[in-house]
Amino acid sequence: MIEIENLSVSYGKHNVIDGMNACFNEGKLTAIIGPNGCGKSTLLKAILGILPIKQGRVSIDGIASTSLNSKEVAKKLSYLPQIKPIPDMTAGDLVLQGRFPHLSFAQRYSEKDEEIALSSMKQLNIEDLYDKPVSTLSGGMRQNVFIAMALAQDTDYVLMDEPTTHLDVGNSIKLMALLNELSSNGKGIIAVLHDITLALQYADNIIVMNDGKVIIADSTKSVFNSGVIDRVFDVKIHSVGNHYYYESR
Amino acid sequence: MKRSAKSLQSNKKISLLFLAAVLLFLVSAALGLLSGSASISLYDIINAVKNGPVGANERIFIFARLPRTIACLLVGSALSVAGAIMQNVLANKLASPGIVGVNSGAGLAITLCTAFGLYGGWRMSFFSFIGAFLTAFAVSLIARRFASSNGSVILIGVAINSILNAFSDAIITLFPNIAMMSADFRIGDFSAVTYHKLLPSTVIILITLTVAIIFSKELDVITLGEESARGLGLNVRLMRTVFLIISALLAGAAVSLAGLISFVGLIVPHAVRLMGITRSKHLLPLCALFGAGFVTLCDTVAKTVFSPYEIQVGIIMAFLGAPFFIFVIIKKKGVRVND
């Protein structure tokens, strides 16, 4: 379990996250939603140790994240950032980088690492891209390659910042179904999502953030029924079975 | 689970490229040793190895051809690998020690040393490294703090390059007797290589090349961008500094040997990448081998094309490098970066 206690993170003097409490479980897909600039991406970076914690504590499976070095964190948490440069390498090589935290200094990628990379690509049906340069891929394909890299890292938790960016509707749905399947198999998936309807349809739990604080953190059904999403986003959400749509209020 | 047939094919291609690179290295070294204004035969070389500097040809071989050829091989390797590393660390394919001012930083340090009477192989190499490192660090820092895009790093480097050259020019104007700062040094040339200059650079370049290849895995991760790299557990700040030190050691040692040779760090890594090599564990050693061969061949041309007169190898490099620079810019525009 990832536990966040009284967490504050700031850029300069301004607290982007202000005294936040939350927990994320293995085997659950948790969506973090909230208006732009509410601190969603900052929260992921603070959990990963990419941004320094001003106050409070993040613990991963009971161990304070500050007592783990960056490679130890990377063996427990994989991360898909929102903005990524286009590296000059093949898709297969990019996915292989996901094995980096598991290698010691000067150790080379083994055949087993390459097999894990290929298997991650197969999970996303992108194994045909193995030898293709990343620079020649479309935005959607590239996003899938980065997701495969996060899967190749083989961690208990996967943190994703807007994973459906660059994906068309069909691929977004496929990805959410895959995240659902991965969480069912035991991984803890934490995904910042801008698409509220995808979050409502696929997530087990939802955290709604606003202005650096958690407004509600509960099961998807409870969050939907609370009306918090309607208030925070100033929309009216409707459900038809397990499908959701929204309109302006 | 089997890897794709295409991957196996690319493994075969990599092996062939290594073979070609080793052949180029050996052939260029042989041409470097045999060619020049004085005609030296294989017999003279064998005689020099067996009996030492017994005759004129043996002396030319031992004191001129051999150090010059070793210097060409080392400088080519060093500048090519420094270029490949800088391109990854600065996230710009146009980056190279000559273009972003790292060579000029080393040059300014050597100019200052010479102006203040600090001669000597090791001291020169040390100050050359300091000049190169401070420049590389400044370009990297300014680019990360203020550059609006990856392209800006080149413009910042070009500006720093101009400032450093202006300082060097000012010092040469104030100290007109600086022999080192002759046209040969400013253009890049191997004619004045001695064992005294060669020893420190050889040690620095060989050790640094080995360290660079050991860190090739980290160099790949750094190209994924700061956030992804940190997410993979890489200490990005530390590794960026390590790579800048590596580039500065290589460029500094090269400049202290041959002066301000430009474009090697741009041409060779690009040529190797154009052959489809992107993984640093292959890219760096191939750059070292092809770079060594390329510079040695260019120097052979510089020695022989107007024989018995020699031109500086830097002139050949500029004739080849400047059009290549434009080619890279044009090609870069053609690469799809977005949907």
Side-chain angles (χ1 to χ4, degrees):
Chain A
M1 184 165 51
I2 299 174
E3 283 178 283
I4 291 160
E5 297 165 62
N6 193 29
L7 181 74
S8 293
V9 182
S10 65
Y11 289 114
K13 283 181 183 169
H14 175 62
N15 272 6
V16 180
I17 292 177
D18 196 8
M20 181 174 169
N21 292 293
C23 67
F24 303 94
N25 293 304
E26 278 182 83
K28 296 284 180 196
L29 167 54
T30 305
I32 303 172
I33 61 173
N36 293 337
C38 71
K40 305 181 295 284
S41 300
T42 304
L43 173 64
L44 294 191
K45 289 176 197 170
I47 294 171
L48 288 150
I50 292 175
L51 284 176
I53 294 169
K54 184 182 176 188
Q55 188 189 307
R57 170 188 153 100
V58 173
S59 61
I60 305 162
D61 295 334
I63 305 164
S65 64
T66 46
S67 65
L68 298 169
N69 66 36
S70 51
K71 269 209 169 175
E72 286 168 336
V73 173
K75 282 181 192 167
K76 289 176 177 290
L77 317 175
S78 53
Y79 175 49
L80 177 78
Q82 190 178 355
I83 299 166
K84 305 166 282 289
I86 304 164
D88 184 16
M89 55 178 75
T90 62
D93 281 350
L94 175 57
V95 177
L96 191 62
Q97 306 306 311
R99 302 303 301 157
F100 178 77
H102 301 279
L103 269 61
S104 57
F105 174 71
Q107 194 183 346
R108 300 284 178 184
Y109 295 107
S110 64
E111 210 159 286
K112 190 170 174 241
D113 291 316
E114 297 203 7
E115 280 174 13
I116 291 169
L118 190 59
S119 148
S120 304
M121 294 180 83
K122 281 189 174 169
Q123 270 187 284
L124 290 150
N125 288 319
I126 54 165
E127 68 270 27
D128 290 349
L129 306 180
Y130 195 92
D131 289 305
K132 294 241 164 75
V134 178
S135 59
T136 61
L137 304 179
S138 71
M141 284 173 177
R142 218 158 40 224
Q143 182 73 343
N144 273 330
V145 174
F146 273 99
I147 291 166
M149 183 182 84
L151 297 181
Q153 210 169 322
D154 192 22
T155 53
D156 291 338
Y157 303 92
V158 183
L159 282 65
M160 298 180 153
D161 198 350
E162 307 280 15
T164 55
T165 305
H166 299 301
L167 298 184
D168 56 40
V169 181
N171 277 315
S172 295
I173 290 171
K174 276 184 201 159
L175 173 67
M176 292 309 294
L178 174 73
L179 297 185
N180 226 250
E181 189 189 321
L182 289 169
S183 63
S184 304
N185 291 336
K187 275 192 197 297
I189 311 281
I190 304 159
V192 167
L193 292 172
H194 68 274
D195 189 329
I196 310 166
T197 58
L198 280 180
L200 286 164
Q201 195 177 339
Y202 290 96
D204 299 306
N205 298 318
I206 290 182
I207 292 179
V208 182
M209 287 180 71
N210 197 11
D211 214 10
K213 288 188 166 66
V214 172
I215 307 300
I216 189 171
D218 212 330
S219 68
T220 301
K221 198 173 177 189
S222 301
V223 170
F224 174 69
N225 290 332
S226 71
V228 167
I229 298 176
D230 297 29
R231 280 204 307 279
V232 167
F233 288 94
D234 198 23
V235 292
K236 179 68 194 156
I237 306 266
H238 302 280
S239 73
V240 181
N242 189 32
H243 296 275
Y244 299 83
Y245 68 96
Y246 52 84
E247 58 187 6
S248 62
R249 287 214 288 192
Chain B
M1 201 176 295
K2 288 265 188 296
R3 289 178 59 200
S4 68
K6 217 172 168 191
S7 291
L8 294 174
Q9 220 176 14
S10 75
N11 274 354
K12 199 177 166 191
K13 186 176 87 178
I14 289 163
S15 306
L16 284 172
L17 277 175
F18 268 100
L19 186 68
V22 171
L23 277 175
L24 177 72
F25 183 96
L26 295 173
V27 168
S28 67
L31 285 174
L33 292 171
L34 291 168
S35 65
S37 48
S39 166
I40 292 180
S41 65
L42 207 57
Y43 171 79
D44 294 326
I45 294 176
I46 294 165
N47 201 29
V49 172
K50 268 186 179 171
N51 305 317
V54 286
N57 279 357
E58 286 79 359
R59 277 198 293 279
I60 290 171
F61 173 75
I62 291 174
F63 297 114
R65 293 277 171 85
L66 187 60
R68 181 171 182 155
T69 305
I70 294 172
C72 287
L73 295 168
L74 287 170
V75 167
S77 298
L79 291 176
S80 304
V81 171
I85 291 172
M86 291 185 77
Q87 284 152 21
N88 279 10
V89 175
L90 298 176
N92 193 304
K93 295 288 165 281
L94 292 171
S96 75
I99 289 164
V100 301
V102 175
N103 284 358
S104 297
L108 174 61
I110 290 177
T111 312
L112 277 168
C113 280
T114 318
F116 291 106
L118 290 170
Y119 297 97
W122 283 103
R123 265 190 300 196
M124 202 79 103
S125 294
F126 174 74
F127 284 109
S128 183
F129 157 68
I130 296 290
F133 176 69
L134 290 178
T135 313
F137 193 73
V139 172
S140 168
L141 195 72
I142 296 170
R144 272 189 295 132
R145 286 267 165 95
F146 306 111
S148 55
S149 68
N150 285 343
S152 311
V153 70
I154 297 301
L155 299 176
I156 290 165
V158 168
I160 289 178
N161 201 2
S162 300
I163 294 168
L164 294 168
N165 284 336
F167 272 115
S168 291
D169 289 338
I171 293 163
I172 294 164
T173 309
L174 292 171
F175 296 85
N177 294 329
I178 301 173
M180 272 290 292
M181 300 315 295
S182 61
D184 285 353
F185 183 83
R186 306 303 302 276
I187 297 168
D189 183 61
F190 290 98
S191 61
V193 172
T194 60
Y195 286 111
H196 183 59
K197 280 165 78 179
L198 189 60
L199 178 69
S201 295
T202 306
V203 173
I204 292 167
I205 290 171
L206 290 180
I207 292 174
T208 312
L209 283 177
T210 310
V211 173
I213 291 166
I214 289 172
F215 279 118
S216 57
K217 192 170 76 230
E218 283 75 9
L219 187 61
D220 284 333
V221 173
I222 222 166
T223 60
L224 305 181
E226 176 144 5
E227 288 191 0
S228 290
R230 290 185 70 167
L232 288 167
L234 185 77
N235 186 336
V236 175
R237 196 172 290 181
L238 173 72
M239 284 318 300
R240 193 180 279 131
T241 308
V242 167
F243 286 123
L244 289 178
I245 290 173
I246 289 173
S247 311
L249 279 167
L250 293 171
V255 169
S256 71
L257 259 185
L260 305 177
I261 292 184
S262 281
F263 294 115
V264 181
L266 176 79
I267 296 173
V268 177
H270 265 281
V272 177
R273 284 192 169 105
L274 281 174
M275 296 171 203
I277 301 299
T278 53
R279 218 189 268 189
S280 296
K281 76 167 183 178
H282 303 132
L283 179 72
L284 297 186
L286 281 172
C287 279
L289 290 167
F290 277 119
F294 174 64
V295 170
T296 312
L297 277 185
C298 286
D299 187 56
T300 304
V301 172
K303 279 191 295 185
T304 53
V305 72
F306 294 118
S307 183
Y309 302 104
E310 288 186 11
I311 57 170
Q312 292 99 335
V313 69
I315 294 173
I316 308 267
M317 288 298 169
F319 272 124
L320 293 174
F324 192 83
F325 188 68
I326 296 165
F327 161 74
V328 173
I329 293 170
I330 294 167
K331 189 173 169 288
K332 211 180 166 197
K333 282 215 159 188
V335 172
R336 178 166 61 176
V337 289
N338 283 308
D339 259 1

